């Protein structure tokens, strides 16, 4: 057991059981569906299947980040126990939660000057953020100090590659990431945009591909091009999906065929309610360690 807390937001999109097993603490974002607010608590308040079915049937969603007050209460319980904290936030390119966490940190620094409280912008999202947290848990378990772990994540976080596609553009239209005209035409033409998270943590459309099978192949090809050690990649690979497990499994099968030295099987998780509110059902995201994101 380490003498510090490793922490993230629920938007790392692993499971409660997984976080518990790895001794990773998390704080919940919030979402609304049809005007009722819930915590983004990894599917406990609303099962993911029910959530995405409601979205597909026209329910409207909104999300809200963790407030300064919530961060103050969350961090302080650890500091009171005499624990230091390393907390990674959801990418600042997606959410303003980094600002809230930083304000809370500065306030608590005056009250607990003897404690260390590091707040880091993960520049990551969903199970890519989770993949990063699992690597930090590995290093912690190997005995790395909080100071060294902080330095490690600053140096290596951009090596966590994120590639994903969406099957229905209407949710990107709703969020303002795609124009209404482009979304309508894209859906008629069966366009599935291949996107990634760039070096600033923003979601970027990289190519517009016609057909789900073609975009899946393109997604795996990005891993072929960018994975650490190429075809000899021996790290972990995570996939997250929004109520389209069969698509996620098809991508996982292609990855396992291309990368026979993978560390275990590809792990498949659900996209949580915060990220999923913006991508909608039918999204598959692929995460692995590779070349540093530079654009």
């Amino acid at each position: 057991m380490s003498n510090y807390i490793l922490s993230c937001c629920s938007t790392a999109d692993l499971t409660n059981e997984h976080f518990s097993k790895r001794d990773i603490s998390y704080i919940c974002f919030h979402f609304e569906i049809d005007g009722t607010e819930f915590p983004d608590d990894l599917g406990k308040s609303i099962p993911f299947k029910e959530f995405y079915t409601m979205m597909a049937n026209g329910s409207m969603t909104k999300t809200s980040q963790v407030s300064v007050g919530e961060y103050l209460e969350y961090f302080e319980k650890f500091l009171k126990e005499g624990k230091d904290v390393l907390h990674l936030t959801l990418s600042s390119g997606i959410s303003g939660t980094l600002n809230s966490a930083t304000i809370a940190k500065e306030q608590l620094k005056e009250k607990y000057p003897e404690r260390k409280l590091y707040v880091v912008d993960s520049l990551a999202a969903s199970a890519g953020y989770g993949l990063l947290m699992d690597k930090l848990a590995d290093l912690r378990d190997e005995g790395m100090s909080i100071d060294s772990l902080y330095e490690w994540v600053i140096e290596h976080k951009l090596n966590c590659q994120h590639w994903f596609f969406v099957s229905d553009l209407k949710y990107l239209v709703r969020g303002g990431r795609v124009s209404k005209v482009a979304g309508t035409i894209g859906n008629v033409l069966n366009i599935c945009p291949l996107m990634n998270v760039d070096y600033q943590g923003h979601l970027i459309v990289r190519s517009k591909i016609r057909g789900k099978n073609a975009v899946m192949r393109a997604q795996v090809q990005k891993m072929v091009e960018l994975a650490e050690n190429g075809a000899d990649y021996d790290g972990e690979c995570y996939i997250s999906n929004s109520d389209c497990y069969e698509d996620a499994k098809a991508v996982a099968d292609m990855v396992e065929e291309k990368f026979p030295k993978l560390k275990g099987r590809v792990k498949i998780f659900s996209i949580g309610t915060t990220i999923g509110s913006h991508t909608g059902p039918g999204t598959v995201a692929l995460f692995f360690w590779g070349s540093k994101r530079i654009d």
Side-chain angles (χ1 to χ4, degrees):
M1 183 69 68
S2 68
N3 62 352
Y4 60 88
I5 301 298
L6 183 57
S7 170
C8 64
C9 307
S10 60
T11 45
D13 286 353
L14 304 183
T15 65
N16 182 64
E17 293 76 18
H18 190 106
F19 281 130
S20 179
K21 182 179 178 181
R22 297 310 315 272
D23 193 22
I24 299 171
S25 298
Y26 65 90
I27 186 169
C28 293
F29 267 57
H30 311 276
F31 71 97
E32 289 183 18
I33 188 159
D34 291 338
T36 302
E37 183 174 316
F38 300 92
D40 177 4
D41 54 6
L42 311 177
K44 286 185 282 186
S45 291
I46 295 182
F48 295 127
K49 178 71 175 177
E50 180 180 341
F51 173 77
Y52 287 115
T53 297
M54 291 175 72
M55 283 193 77
N57 290 336
S59 291
M60 299 300 294
T61 59
K62 288 174 57 178
T63 61
S64 57
Q65 65 191 40
V66 183
S67 69
V68 173
E70 288 171 314
Y71 273 122
L72 284 168
E73 182 179 353
Y74 174 74
F75 289 147
E76 188 166 21
K77 69 182 179 183
F78 301 126
L79 302 178
K80 274 184 177 178
E81 295 171 355
K83 297 280 191 177
D84 297 327
V85 181
L86 172 59
H87 178 78
L88 273 68
T89 69
L90 176 65
S91 173
S92 61
I94 296 172
S95 166
T97 194
L98 173 67
N99 186 53
S100 297
T102 301
I103 292 171
K105 169 194 167 182
E106 293 304 315
Q107 292 183 21
L108 290 167
K109 188 165 64 174
E110 298 177 9
K111 191 172 181 180
Y112 299 91
E114 74 285 1
R115 297 264 59 86
K116 296 174 182 175
L117 173 52
Y118 290 117
V119 172
V120 177
D121 182 357
S122 73
L123 297 174
S126 195
Y129 182 10
L131 180 64
L132 178 58
M133 294 307 301
D134 266 346
K135 180 62 177 179
L136 296 182
D138 290 341
L139 295 171
R140 175 205 60 197
D141 293 348
E142 291 169 8
M144 188 174 283
S145 70
I146 189 171
D147 301 302
S148 296
L149 197 59
Y150 170 75
E151 292 173 0
W152 189 95
V153 71
I154 294 299
E155 174 64 26
H156 296 282
K157 62 186 179 181
L158 287 176
N159 291 100
C160 187
Q161 288 278 343
H162 301 51
W163 290 90
F164 64 101
F165 68 85
V166 296
S167 301
D168 191 335
L169 296 176
K170 72 180 178 183
Y171 303 101
L172 297 182
V173 171
R174 186 185 296 174
R177 299 188 184 279
V178 173
S179 72
K180 188 172 182 180
V181 171
T184 300
I185 294 172
N187 277 336
V188 169
L189 296 177
N190 194 25
I191 298 296
C192 297
L194 180 64
M195 309 175 74
N196 83 328
V197 175
D198 73 0
Y199 75 107
Q200 295 179 317
H202 297 111
L203 305 181
I204 304 293
V205 176
R206 296 300 185 180
S207 55
K208 299 171 184 177
I209 299 172
R210 192 167 185 176
K212 190 187 295 183
N213 291 335
V215 77
M216 287 178 182
R217 292 192 295 271
Q219 188 178 39
V220 175
Q221 181 59 32
K222 286 297 180 182
M223 186 168 176
V224 171
E225 295 169 6
L226 299 171
E228 189 176 70
N229 300 321
D232 290 328
Y233 179 69
D234 59 0
E236 291 190 297
C237 176
Y238 289 0
I239 289 175
S240 58
N241 77 100
S242 52
D243 195 30
C244 53
Y245 178 83
E246 292 305 317
D247 291 341
K249 182 62 168 60
V251 173
D253 289 345
M254 284 189 275
V255 168
E256 289 175 356
E257 181 180 355
K258 292 280 189 183
F259 298 93
K261 296 182 181 180
L262 276 177
K263 183 180 179 182
R265 303 293 297 273
V266 174
K267 293 184 175 70
I268 300 176
F269 299 94
S270 291
I271 294 175
T273 48
T274 296
I275 305 297
S277 290
H278 300 282
T279 65
T283 299
V284 175
L286 174 65
F287 310 103
F288 56 92
W289 292 99
S291 304
K292 185 164 285 190
R293 288 176 268 155
I294 58 173
D295 64 1

